[in-house]
């Protein structure tokens, strides 16, 4: 890259404390500038379909995220921006999640999710693919997380809760088998194909995240509200958003 070209191996970066205030100011100005009475190319908006109110909520939700990230650098500024973001209006349901939507179809004109192209090869660890770690699987099992049966599956097609097993972290293909007593990597969980279809959305900021951030802001005393209720709403939203991957990924009512 340019660092090598200029023989500058230690470039100076702007500090986060200087960048974030401007980013927050830009979000406020951009949100204010959005107008429902202006020309809106709705068909070209793969996120909100031209819904300006949702774009405004996204600007405020991103403001909330950035504000929370400032908490250990400038707590007073963080508190002010977080309070402003929430008062301006943040995401309140899963239809407001900021996600790029991809159309289906099997022709060259489809708006495919490029992260998911390649399909099944992503499951084969021997081909450089992905298999779930023991850290994730064990934590989901300990918490009885119902999403486990949606995201994980064995090569033989078993996606039952009890059957899932994660790969221990930090081992290579030989040492992991020796450490676990397994004879093949097929014994370990891999991503279920339903979560990497080419028409699955790319989610960049979810309603669930906004609820969790709001819960933290309440817990810190920065805004009014019930932190426990916000946290529970975030949990429910995270479970409900699995339906974005298709009807087969829906886990129904978490209660």
């Amino acid at each position: 890259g340019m660092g090598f070209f200029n023989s500058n191996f230690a470039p100076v970066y702007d500090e986060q404390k200087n960048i974030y205030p401007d980013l927050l100011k830009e979000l406020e100005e951009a949100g204010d500038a959005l107008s429902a009475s202006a020309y809106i190319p709705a068909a070209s908006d793969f996120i909100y379909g031209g819904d300006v109110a949702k774009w405004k909520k996204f600007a405020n939700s991103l403001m909330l995220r950035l504000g929370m990230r400032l908490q250990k650098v400038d707590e007073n500024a963080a508190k002010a921006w977080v309070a402003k973001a929430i008062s301006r209006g943040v995401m309140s349901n899963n239809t407001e999640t900021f996600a790029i939507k991809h159309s289906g179809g099997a022709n060259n004109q489809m708006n495919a999710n490029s992260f998911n192209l390649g399909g099944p090869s992503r499951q084969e660890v021997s081909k450089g693919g992905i298999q779930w770690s023991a850290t994730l699987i064990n934590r989901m099992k300990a918490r009885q997380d119902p999403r486990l049966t949606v995201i994980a599956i064995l090569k033989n097609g078993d996606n039952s809760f009890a059957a899932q097993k994660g790969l221990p972290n930090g081992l290579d293909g030989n040492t992991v088998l020796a450490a676990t007593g397994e004879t093949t990597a097929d014994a370990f969980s891999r991503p279920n194909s339903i979560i990497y279809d080419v028409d699955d959305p790319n989610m960049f900021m979810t309603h669930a995240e906004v609820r969790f951030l709001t819960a933290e802001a309440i817990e810190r005393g920065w805004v009014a509200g019930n932190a426990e209720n916000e946290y529970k709403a975030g949990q429910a939203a995270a479970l409900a958003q699995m339906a974005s991957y298709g009807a087969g990924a829906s886990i129904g009512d978490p209660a």
Side-chain angles (χ1 to χ4, degrees):
M2 290 300 292
F4 177 77
F5 182 78
N6 294 325
S7 298
N8 179 7
F9 299 109
V12 176
Y13 294 96
D14 294 329
E15 292 188 31
Q16 178 177 313
K17 67 180 181 181
N18 296 326
I19 294 173
Y20 268 53
D22 188 59
L23 290 174
L24 288 157
K25 176 171 160 287
E26 292 279 344
L27 284 170
E28 183 175 17
E29 292 174 352
D32 289 341
L34 289 167
S35 170
S37 62
Y39 168 69
I40 299 173
S44 300
D45 180 2
F46 289 102
I47 298 166
Y48 293 133
D51 190 327
V52 170
K54 289 182 179 179
W55 275 101
K56 286 178 176 285
K57 283 191 173 187
F58 169 61
N60 299 332
S61 298
L62 198 53
M63 185 187 294
L64 170 61
R65 178 197 274 176
L66 297 187
M68 293 303 289
R69 288 182 179 174
L70 270 177
Q71 60 186 254
K72 294 185 179 177
V73 177
D74 188 339
E75 184 176 352
N76 289 333
K79 180 178 179 179
W81 279 108
V82 165
K84 177 182 287 190
I86 291 174
S87 69
R88 285 166 66 90
V90 293
M91 295 175 191
S92 58
N93 62 70
N94 279 17
T95 70
E96 294 170 349
T97 280
F98 189 86
I100 296 178
K101 299 177 178 67
H102 299 275
S103 60
N107 56 61
N108 293 332
Q109 306 306 313
M110 71 180 292
N111 175 37
N113 183 330
S114 59
F115 288 109
N116 293 344
L117 293 176
S121 65
R122 290 176 175 267
Q123 291 184 318
E124 300 291 344
V125 72
S126 61
K127 298 177 182 176
I130 299 168
Q131 288 188 252
W132 294 120
S133 79
T135 304
L136 175 70
I137 299 298
N138 294 347
R139 181 165 293 185
M140 293 185 79
K141 282 193 167 187
R143 298 182 179 186
Q144 293 293 303
D145 194 321
R147 293 173 292 186
L148 182 59
T149 59
V150 175
I151 71 165
I153 195 168
L154 297 180
K155 187 173 185 178
N156 64 11
D158 188 350
N159 72 323
S160 65
F161 192 93
Q164 302 316 308
K165 186 174 185 178
L167 278 164
N169 298 74
L171 303 176
D172 63 25
N174 294 318
T175 54
V176 73
L177 297 180
T180 59
E182 298 291 352
T183 57
T184 170
D186 294 342
F188 301 97
S189 300
R190 55 189 61 201
N192 190 338
S193 61
I194 199 169
I195 64 170
Y196 59 83
D197 292 331
V198 291
D199 59 353
D200 283 341
N202 289 121
M203 286 182 268
F204 292 97
M205 188 171 196
T206 65
H207 165 229
E209 179 188 346
V210 171
R211 287 299 182 108
F212 291 138
L213 289 170
T214 302
E216 182 181 346
I218 295 170
E219 191 71 12
R220 290 179 179 277
W222 292 359
V223 294
N226 186 305
E228 183 179 357
N229 287 350
E230 284 293 323
Y231 189 83
K232 288 181 176 178
Q235 288 180 309
L239 296 176
Q241 81 183 29
M242 297 304 294
S244 299
Y245 296 110
S250 175
I251 56 176
D253 187 344

